[in-house]
Amino acid sequence: MEPVKINDLACNDLPWKIAYDPERCTLCGSCIAACTFDAIGPRMERRRMIYSDSETPDPKTLFSARPVIDQQNVLKNYCRGCGVCERVCPNSAISALRNPDSRFQVVHQCATGTAPKRGGRNNLEVQSRTLDTLRVGRISQMTDPSLDAQRHTFDCLAPLGRILPAKSLPLQLNAEGQLTQGGSTPPVRWIYPVIIGDMSIGALSWRMWEAIAMAVAYLNEECGLPVRMCSGEGGMPVRLLKSRHLKYMILQIASGHFGWNRIIQAMPHMVEDPAGVLIKIGQGAKPGDGGLLMAAKVAEHIQAIRGVPKTDLLSPPNHQGLYSIEESVQKMFLSFNAAFKFRVPVAIKVAASATSVSVFNNLVRDPYNIVGGFFLDGIDGGTGAAHDISLDHTGHPSVSKLRDCYLAAVAQGRQGQIPLWAAGGLGKTGNLAADAFKMICLGANGVFSGKLILQMAGCLGNDLGRCNACNTGLCPAGITTQEPVLARRLDPERVAENIVNYFLGMDMDLRKLMAPIGNSALPVGRSDCLVSTDKAVADRLQVQHVC
Amino acid sequence: MCRIGALKSRHYLHPSKALLLMQSQQKGHDNSGFAMVMQDLGGRFADYKKLPTLSLACTDKGLEITRELLRATGFRRVQEWQPEVNPIPGLDIQALANYAFQTFDYPESYRHATDREKEDLLTDTRLALRAALEPGEEGFVYSFWPDVITLKEIGDPRAIGTYFNLWQEDEEFTAKLITAQCRQNTNYEIVRYAAHPFFMQGYTALANGENTFYQKNKEFQSNLHRGYIGFESDSQCFLYTLHYLHRELGWPLSTYKHVITPLPFEDAVKRPDHEQLLVMRQSLAHLEINGPNTIIGVLPDNTLFTCCDAKKLRPVVVGRDADTVAISSEVCGINEVLPERDWEADIYPNEREIVIINDTLEVQRWNQ
Ligand code: SF4
Ligand code: SF4
């Protein structure tokens, strides 16, 4: 009998257990080849068979060695439950099952002295979402007709850029009594109310990034939807910086300033201005945690784009050298406004937090009028690498905070001056149009979304702990990897097509929600058309409670 | 649903004409009230065109409060007219004890004040009076402005006409410009203040329809001017927007349409003035109306205009003869007051125009 070595790692300590049926397996090896995590491998098993070959029982024992597929009980190679083995197995011989008795958190930390990391997903709070308790409850009838989603024209655009109060506009009456514009106003772009969120070319595979860029160009040029995409921190290919497609891109700068040397060098060669600049101060999924691109993902082309050697790339949690809002407004925002000669809106992205309203108030009152957008990111967003503890135990949902910011603006009569853009798990249930519409009614000008775009590309992960390996560079779907072999799993044209189709469907869905409330322009702040079946939500968001 | 109408003439008109204009449209409203604003007054008010007249409906106590407040502010009464009423039993009217139209001279200290200062005083006084009359609902003050009279009451317009003797034409109670509306029963509570036309500092507005951006308008307007209060009706927003654009920002009337019903982005970008259109739309996005509406408005120089929503979901007609222009929700109203006119010249304004009638009665159509 084997001694019990209770302190050795066993497969039933891990979050996923492999179910394998040797009867069905033909040992083709597909699953092993496909598993990017090396979580399964071949092994020999000793088998004993008792048989009798005479007419009366005459038990004999036959020992044989048989090759099987087996789960690795190695921490580094634990199974992520991505299900790729099951997808590729021609005989349905293998699958991964969730292990409800997993001891992973504890054994990982005990064995390595570090807590587990994972790709950004909020796996702890998966209960019902606030947005799902809200419905569009004010339906136009009789007194104000609802519109026809197919027939009427809709004006579904949202501003990005600082908007001046009417009294500060440089408009004067001329001698003929007509209004003429005497000076300039801050740049404002009217764009589609859903921005493809900031996922960097280092976090994503170049093929995935290219697929999104292709989809964005197609949506703009063939479908008439002015969708914008945010680069994420880390710059972008110089060829794109110098192309006319730059106008569809929002350039992001974060605390690591990665890629900005290239961007600055490319400036004299730019033929178009970018759609905007987004200064990332924080992100919702791991507020205060900074960014981390593991050396494993810093492939040669990433080194070129970012201008760095192959090493772990850390973005500090905050912008070193900025200690106050006043300072950041004056130094950072002003310098980026100036860099593009005040032709490009400069916005800020922050994590939803108990202090969001104070930050927003400070920005909306800034005397220079240079902050052109407030991007509020909530707990459910994010795809990057983070420690489990950050993902599971820090953060703030964005719905109530977005509402608070909007109401703070209303109280000061400053609604709309800094457009509000919200994110954080929007579209998590698959319907981004509904989430976007509800956020808009609560006061957002528009929303941004990243994780859902990954789902469109075939991401196998979910918020129940499945896969979540975006940080490893071993993405089984070729989405968040820089390994050429893995990246090739992704077909950029198919992904671009999926994204385009999704956006077209979403656009129709948005009209389907605007039509019944009788609006042809986005109902920003029209909380009167929302109702909630949850009294606490209704009270918190100041919408009607219904039952 | 409201029915709205307006009459503008070279001659002084008696309110019976306005009743007539609205009477034939009664199937469209619900006979729940009558309200009108008379501007450019004749008859007993003709000699006081520069002095403010207070339009008030109140209890006896309300009358007392008013007298006290105005006296304390320094206003000196120069004329008072209380219409003779016919309290015939069975009339469908919720009448108050007093209806007073009192004309005042400005306080002595305002002798050398600018027009703007005097106007601000009138508004502040009206707001103070409104606040003072509110506890116990002692009264309603509808306007306090030179050359303007407002009358509003709950009940059947015919009965209200009878009660105030409005069917009886006379020379003493007349105006060259009358706007009227026949519905008190708004979507919200029945409140006298909720009846349009609404009046503020020379601007009048009345509307037929539903303002689906009411909440946005209201939240935004509440911070724009101390006088933007009440919001008992979603149509009040149209007045405040008009007042804000034209008086506070000093923008021409043509911008009103661009703010309440902006051109779709795809059309706006084709225009030479698209930058200007865009900044206006951006800055005043919360004043857009985006619902089915027709608006009739009056500017301080007595220019009358009408326009409707961007989809023309509510009707309006403009008809005229040599001396009078009539605007009405339904053409039957105009047929009553101007039966001899050339009806082929009637204008049915489209969704992108403002029809303007200036003080010489010239009718202009401005395309947005
Ligand atoms: S589920 Fe994914 S990680 Fe687990 S063994 Fe299969 S392929 Fe490997
Ligand atoms: S992006 Fe790739 S690694 Fe991340 S959860 Fe999806 S499939 Fe897994």
Side-chain angles (χ1 to χ4, degrees):
Chain A
M1 222 167 66
E2 285 212 43
V4 178
K5 293 187 190 141
I6 202 76
N7 293 111
D8 283 357
L9 188 75
C11 284
N12 63 6
D13 289 331
L14 301 178
W16 296 85
K17 287 201 293 193
I18 288 297
Y20 171 68
D21 182 353
E23 295 302 316
R24 304 189 69 109
C25 179
T26 59
L27 294 170
C28 69
S30 299
C31 54
I32 297 174
C35 176
T36 54
F37 306 102
D38 262 338
I40 43 177
R43 193 165 68 91
M44 294 305 283
E45 270 180 6
R46 183 170 176 250
R47 297 286 165 89
R48 187 175 80 147
M49 197 167 88
I50 312 286
Y51 69 101
S52 165
D53 53 5
S54 68
E55 286 189 358
T56 53
D58 176 19
K60 292 177 191 154
T61 305
L62 179 72
F63 284 93
S64 63
R66 230 175 119 169
V68 292
I69 311 284
D70 196 16
Q71 184 171 3
Q72 311 269 31
N73 54 352
V74 182
L75 266 188
K76 189 168 148 280
N77 302 106
Y78 73 95
C79 167
R80 307 288 182 137
C82 71
V84 162
C85 47
E86 185 179 353
R87 284 170 99 94
V88 297
C89 177
N91 280 6
S92 308
I94 191 165
S95 61
L97 301 178
R98 191 184 305 282
N99 176 13
D101 304 311
S102 162
R103 300 171 63 239
F104 185 65
Q105 279 276 343
V106 177
V107 294
H108 188 285
Q109 199 154 328
C110 291
T112 65
T114 58
K117 296 190 187 69
R118 66 170 193 257
R121 275 195 167 69
N122 166 25
N123 291 344
L124 206 61
E125 276 187 75
V126 285
Q127 75 271 40
S128 67
R129 304 180 321 144
T130 304
L131 286 176
D132 294 331
T133 71
L134 292 170
R135 292 186 147 258
V136 179
R138 185 212 182 274
I139 308 301
S140 294
Q141 297 166 92
M142 297 285 288
T143 53
D144 54 322
S146 52
L147 302 177
D148 183 331
Q150 324 275 340
R151 194 167 54 89
H152 281 114
T153 48
F154 290 80
D155 228 9
C156 305
L157 297 185
L160 173 62
R162 183 53 172 258
I163 291 169
L164 297 182
K167 283 205 161 149
S168 312
L169 291 176
L171 299 175
Q172 297 96 25
L173 283 180
N174 65 11
E176 286 86 55
Q178 290 154 337
L179 212 53
T180 55
Q181 193 165 336
S184 61
T185 53
V188 177
R189 308 263 196 271
W190 283 86
I191 59 179
Y192 197 72
V194 180
I195 291 176
I196 297 186
D198 30 346
M199 296 176 290
S200 75
I201 198 166
L204 299 184
S205 69
W206 74 97
R207 283 165 78 89
M208 177 62 192
W209 206 85
E210 189 188 334
I212 302 177
M214 253 193 302
V216 167
Y218 192 91
L219 284 166
N220 275 278
E221 295 179 3
E222 299 295 326
C223 312
L225 296 189
V227 177
R228 296 294 175 265
M229 156 182 183
C230 178
S231 67
E233 180 181 26
M236 60 170 72
V238 174
R239 201 158 56 93
L240 180 54
L241 287 169
K242 294 181 184 172
S243 86
R244 64 181 182 83
H245 295 293
L246 183 64
K247 61 180 182 233
Y248 306 137
M249 299 285 162
I250 296 170
L251 300 177
Q252 182 172 85
I253 179 157
S255 53
H257 295 203
F258 293 123
W260 271 84
N261 49 348
R262 299 291 158 116
I263 292 175
I264 287 160
Q265 281 163 18
M267 274 183 189
H269 310 288
M270 287 181 182
V271 292
E272 288 277 356
D273 284 331
V277 172
L278 184 62
I279 299 178
K280 184 178 97 177
I281 303 290
Q283 59 177 309
K286 42 171 176 170
D289 207 12
L292 171 63
L293 191 68
M294 308 272 222
K297 288 179 81 171
V298 188
E300 229 164 87
H301 59 280
I302 301 299
Q303 296 168 31
I305 292 169
R306 296 198 172 190
V308 291
K310 188 172 180 73
T311 172
D312 280 358
L313 299 183
L314 278 148
S315 299
N318 56 1
H319 288 258
Q320 311 289 318
L322 294 182
Y323 298 101
S324 67
I325 290 180
E326 297 78 7
E327 195 180 22
S328 76
V329 165
Q330 291 189 38
K331 271 196 203 160
M332 194 148 186
F333 285 84
L334 205 51
S335 56
F336 278 101
N337 274 283
F340 289 100
K341 304 206 164 50
F342 293 86
R343 290 189 313 255
V344 175
V346 179
I348 177 180
K349 175 177 163 182
V350 294
S353 137
T355 60
S356 304
V357 175
S358 328
V359 176
F360 177 72
N361 276 341
N362 275 288
L363 296 176
V364 85
R365 293 171 194 155
D366 101 72
Y368 313 100
N369 295 321
I370 50 180
V371 180
F374 193 72
F375 284 60
L376 192 68
D377 192 16
I379 192 173
D380 258 354
T383 53
H387 293 269
D388 274 12
I389 188 150
S390 309
L391 291 174
D392 288 345
H393 298 284
T394 61
H396 191 303
S398 58
V399 180
S400 63
K401 206 40 75 177
L402 175 271
R403 183 81 180 130
D404 290 349
C405 288
Y406 180 73
L407 292 175
V410 167
Q412 302 168 68
R414 291 177 182 272
Q415 55 269 60
Q417 291 181 16
I418 295 187
L420 285 166
W421 290 78
L426 301 183
K428 196 170 170 178
T429 54
N431 194 329
L432 184 54
D435 288 357
F437 186 83
K438 291 171 187 175
M439 290 302 262
I440 288 171
C441 290
L442 291 171
N445 290 88
V447 300
F448 55 110
S449 177
K451 207 156 56 181
L452 184 65
I453 309 292
L454 304 191
Q455 306 295 334
M456 293 174 204
C459 165
L460 302 162
N462 65 20
D463 291 279
L464 297 168
R466 192 179 192 221
C467 197
N468 292 195
C470 323
N471 55 323
T472 59
L474 297 172
C475 171
I479 298 171
T480 54
T481 176
Q482 303 301 339
E483 287 286 332
V485 182
L486 296 182
R488 262 195 201 96
R489 289 187 181 181
L490 185 112
D491 176 350
E493 290 185 359
R494 279 284 300 280
V495 172
E497 191 182 324
N498 288 356
I499 297 174
V500 167
N501 284 340
Y502 190 93
F503 267 76
L504 294 178
M506 178 174 69
D507 192 52
M508 187 30 91
D509 269 3
L510 265 183
R511 291 155 195 247
K512 286 257 174 231
L513 291 173
M514 287 167 69
I517 64 163
N519 284 162
S520 56
L522 289 176
V524 179
R526 265 204 75 188
S527 56
D528 61 309
C529 62
L530 294 182
V531 298
S532 180
T533 46
D534 183 316
K535 178 83 169 79
V537 169
D539 290 349
R540 180 68 182 80
L541 300 179
Q542 299 184 23
V543 304
Q544 228 184 91
H545 172 233
V546 292
C547 49
Chain B
M1 190 177 297
C2 308
R3 287 295 182 268
I4 52 178
L7 291 167
K8 183 167 169 62
S9 179
R10 294 186 206 283
H11 312 299
Y12 288 110
L13 302 171
H14 186 261
S16 56
K17 281 275 185 296
L19 277 170
L20 204 61
L21 178 74
M22 303 313 293
Q23 176 76 30
S24 58
Q25 304 177 58
Q26 60 163 300
K27 285 205 184 72
H29 54 76
D30 57 3
N31 285 317
S32 59
F34 178 72
M36 66 170 176
V37 173
M38 298 168 65
Q39 288 166 272
D40 201 349
L41 304 174
R44 59 173 64 82
F45 295 97
D47 294 339
Y48 301 102
K49 283 195 173 277
K50 293 269 175 242
L51 297 181
T53 297
L54 181 72
S55 298
L56 180 72
C58 62
T59 61
D60 291 343
K61 186 170 170 212
L63 214 51
E64 191 52 43
I65 294 171
T66 307
R67 187 177 310 138
E68 202 37 53
L69 194 143
L70 285 164
R71 198 190 53 75
T73 320
F75 281 100
R76 291 160 298 159
R77 194 160 77 202
V78 295
Q79 143 164 291
E80 176 175 33
W81 177 61
Q82 296 220 18
E84 226 168 85
V85 295
N86 278 328
I88 305 169
L91 275 188
D92 175 12
I93 176 172
Q94 295 182 26
L96 289 168
N98 305 287
Y99 295 87
F101 302 97
Q102 305 171 339
T103 309
F104 292 86
D105 201 350
Y106 290 97
E108 197 46 46
S109 55
Y110 275 72
R111 183 190 297 235
H112 302 295
T114 62
D115 284 351
R116 204 79 181 187
E117 285 165 345
K118 286 182 185 163
E119 289 166 3
D120 282 346
L121 173 71
L122 295 182
T123 303
D124 290 334
T125 309
R126 177 178 60 82
L127 294 174
L129 202 48
R130 177 176 167 148
L133 292 171
E134 236 149 27
E137 288 212 340
E138 299 297 349
F140 301 86
V141 47
Y142 299 119
S143 58
F144 186 31
W145 203 255
D147 217 13
V148 174
I149 271 181
T150 307
L151 179 68
K152 301 185 178 183
E153 207 37 270
I154 300 167
D156 184 325
R158 281 162 302 199
I160 294 170
T162 307
Y163 186 81
F164 289 109
N165 260 328
L166 294 181
W167 292 110
Q168 198 72 50
E169 275 210 51
D170 70 31
E171 303 274 300
E172 287 303 299
F173 189 43
T174 57
K176 287 187 178 169
L177 176 51
I178 305 177
T179 46
Q181 186 268 138
C182 274
R183 184 173 180 251
Q184 181 62 44
N185 181 13
T186 75
N187 299 353
Y188 309 101
E189 273 171 88
I190 296 186
V191 202
R192 284 178 176 81
Y193 281 129
H196 14 166
F198 305 107
F199 177 86
M200 180 172 175
Q201 294 197 323
Y203 298 85
T204 310
L206 55 166
N208 165 20
E210 193 84 13
N211 179 2
T212 59
F213 275 4
Y214 168 60
Q215 187 193 6
K216 290 175 62 155
N217 287 181
K218 175 180 160 179
E219 283 175 349
F220 191 65
Q221 290 171 337
S222 306
N223 274 306
L224 290 178
H225 193 283
R226 65 192 185 289
Y228 300 167
I229 57 162
F231 296 99
E232 292 86 358
S233 151
D234 58 18
S235 299
Q236 247 162 332
C237 301
F238 306 135
L239 172 72
Y240 296 154
T241 296
L242 176 65
H243 177 271
Y244 185 68
L245 292 187
H246 201 260
R247 182 180 163 105
E248 298 298 301
L249 295 177
W251 293 1
L253 177 62
S254 53
T255 58
Y256 186 55
K257 188 77 177 128
H258 283 298
V259 168
I260 60 170
T261 61
L263 290 171
F265 288 104
E266 49 182 327
D267 296 342
V269 292
K270 295 179 199 140
R271 306 237 320 198
D273 57 348
H274 75 267
E275 267 184 46
Q276 190 184 317
L277 295 182
L278 217 54
V279 295
M280 289 186 333
R281 178 173 192 171
Q282 279 159 201
S283 295
L284 297 172
H286 290 261
L287 295 182
E288 196 182 328
I289 59 173
N290 212 278
N293 295 104
T294 287
I295 300 165
I296 297 177
V298 181
L299 302 184
D301 65 358
N302 293 332
T303 298
L304 175 68
F305 72 89
T306 183
C307 60
C308 48
D309 64 83
K311 296 196 171 58
K312 193 173 163 45
L313 294 169
R314 288 285 181 273
V316 68
V317 199
V318 183
R320 69 166 304 159
D321 65 11
D323 290 332
T324 304
V325 175
I327 305 179
S328 163
S329 295
E330 295 180 52
V331 71
C332 57
I334 306 184
N335 294 344
E336 290 288 331
V337 289
L338 302 174
E340 304 296 326
R341 79 189 190 287
D342 171 12
W343 57 266
E344 283 187 6
D346 286 355
I347 299 171
Y348 290 81
N350 71 39
E351 65 273 23
R352 288 293 170 201
E353 71 179 343
I354 306 188
V355 177
I356 292 148
I357 300 101
N358 66 17
D359 226 19
T360 62
L361 238 56
E362 184 193 353
V363 178
Q364 298 175 11
R365 303 176 71 165
W366 291 356
N367 242 321
Q368 183 180 1

